Amino acid sequence: MRCIVMIKATQASEAGVMPSEQLLTEMGRFNEELVKAGIMLAGEGLQPSSKGARVKFSGSSRSVIDGPFAETKELIAGFWLWQVKSMDEAIEWVKRCPNPFDGESEIEIRQVFEADDFGAELTPELREQEARLRAQVAAKS
């Protein structure tokens, strides 16, 4: 199963406080372990929400809301995309992760939908389209 592992933002990350050399070193070692284990598919840190935007949908209209966004506890500071055997395996890996921030931190794990999760609504034509798009993305990377 694939899962996204999200590092929740803190007031410091939203203020643009950069991680220390020590934390970057520890995270680098952790990422190496993930890669060697064949788990890590992707992983990135995110800029503060002050550099972001949201697009709000209401029927056919769209409106843009510029950051920063108020609820820090609802924001993401970084993420990994992992391929694991189970949620339990993902949890065990997260428990081994260095604390991403001084003080309290939170990391959320969510399973990624796979094509089979959509059942009959994902028609053979839509499955073919998805496979074609994934192949195009893979070819570009």
Side-chain angles (χ1 to χ4, degrees):
M1 76 178 232
R2 289 180 304 152
C3 62
I4 188 165
V5 180
M6 299 171 284
I7 300 169
K8 297 295 194 101
T10 64
Q11 287 183 344
S13 69
E14 277 296 291
V17 175
M18 298 303 286
S20 67
E21 180 181 349
Q22 179 182 345
L23 179 57
L24 290 172
T25 300
E26 291 172 6
M27 280 294 188
R29 278 195 295 264
F30 181 66
N31 286 340
E32 282 184 349
E33 289 181 48
L34 292 169
V35 170
K36 286 178 185 174
I39 288 172
M40 187 165 140
L41 302 175
E44 303 294 338
L46 301 175
Q47 295 277 346
S49 70
S50 61
K51 296 183 178 183
R54 290 180 176 165
V55 178
K56 184 176 181 176
F57 291 71
S58 180
S60 62
S61 70
R62 310 289 185 266
S63 59
V64 176
I65 304 159
D66 292 323
F69 307 118
E71 290 294 321
T72 301
K73 65 183 179 186
E74 300 299 325
L75 299 174
I76 304 300
F79 70 92
W80 289 281
L81 185 61
W82 291 352
Q83 179 74 49
V84 291
K85 294 178 184 83
S86 66
M87 183 62 77
D88 287 340
E89 181 183 18
I91 291 168
E92 288 306 311
W93 276 101
V94 169
K95 286 172 149 182
R96 294 173 55 186
C97 179
N99 187 346
F101 301 107
D102 288 335
E104 289 193 14
S105 300
E106 189 173 306
I107 296 178
E108 180 178 339
I109 307 165
R110 303 267 302 276
Q111 188 172 348
V112 174
F113 277 113
E114 301 295 346
D116 290 342
D117 295 326
F118 292 98
E121 297 298 321
L122 191 65
T123 65
E125 295 81 15
L126 291 172
R127 287 175 188 270
E128 181 181 309
Q129 177 188 41
E130 181 181 353
R132 183 174 22 85
L133 292 173
R134 286 186 187 275
Q136 288 175 358
V137 169
K140 288 185 178 187
S141 59

